[in-house]
């Protein structure tokens, strides 16, 4: 059987292209504060921002929001789902322009977002568990 997975070097180049594409296409017009603005309706953003401060919601290494405690009230869950849907669309668009997968674009976005997470809020690296910054 032939292994058709990309080499680590090729995967690294793909990730670098996704990160560069995200920075080039998304950052100037999309990032406001620490999250993609086009992916955040104002009411959902307010709900999620409050949940981040409360420690209920955090950023994940795949570029999406997650529920730190595993569950949340209906309004918070709906807001997280709404923002994640917008982010998925943004990552798909960015990925198409860069010739990478939406997953790579999301991971590149997370790399840009994690340093901007305020102290006391949560993030979850790929393959890891929730950590308080």
């Amino acid at each position: 059987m032939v292994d058709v997975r990309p080499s680590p070097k090729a995967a690294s180049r793909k990730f670098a292209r996704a990160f560069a594409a995200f920075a080039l296409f998304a950052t100037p017009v999309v990032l406001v504060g620490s999250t993609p603005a086009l992916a955040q309706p104002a009411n959902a953003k307010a709900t999620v921002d409050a949940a981040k401060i409360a420690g209920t919601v955090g950023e994940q290494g795949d570029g999406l929001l997650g529920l730190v405690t595993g569950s949340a009230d209906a309004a918070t869950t709906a807001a997280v789902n709404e923002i994640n849907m917008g982010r998925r669309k943004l990552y798909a668009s960015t990925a198409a322009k860069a010739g990478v997968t939406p997953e790579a674009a999301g991971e590149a976005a997370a790399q840009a977002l994690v340093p901007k997470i305020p102290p006391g809020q949560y993030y979850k690296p790929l393959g890891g568990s929730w950590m308080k910054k």
Side-chain angles (χ1 to χ4, degrees):
M1 178 173 244
V2 177
D3 186 3
V4 293
R5 291 179 292 176
S7 69
K9 195 174 193 177
S12 179
R13 282 192 307 265
K14 235 179 173 178
F15 183 81
R17 278 198 321 264
F19 187 81
F22 183 80
L24 179 65
F25 294 116
T27 303
V29 294
V30 177
L31 289 183
V32 174
S34 65
T35 51
L38 290 179
Q40 298 187 93
N43 58 343
K45 182 182 181 330
T47 300
V48 166
D49 285 349
K52 284 180 176 182
I53 291 168
T56 307
V57 172
E59 295 287 346
Q60 299 180 140
D62 60 1
L64 300 174
L65 295 169
L67 300 175
V68 175
T69 58
S71 64
D73 62 79
T76 300
T77 301
V80 165
N81 290 338
E82 184 175 5
I83 290 172
N84 281 345
M85 186 174 62
R87 288 184 180 191
R88 283 185 185 97
K89 288 178 184 176
L90 176 65
Y91 300 153
S93 172
T94 301
K97 293 173 186 171
V100 298
T101 66
E103 292 79 13
E107 290 171 20
Q111 290 291 329
L113 295 175
V114 167
K116 297 177 183 180
I117 296 171
Q121 292 187 12
Y122 286 87
Y123 68 98
K124 182 179 179 183
L126 286 176
S129 57
W130 289 106
M131 302 170 64
K132 192 176 213 178
K133 192 165 179 190

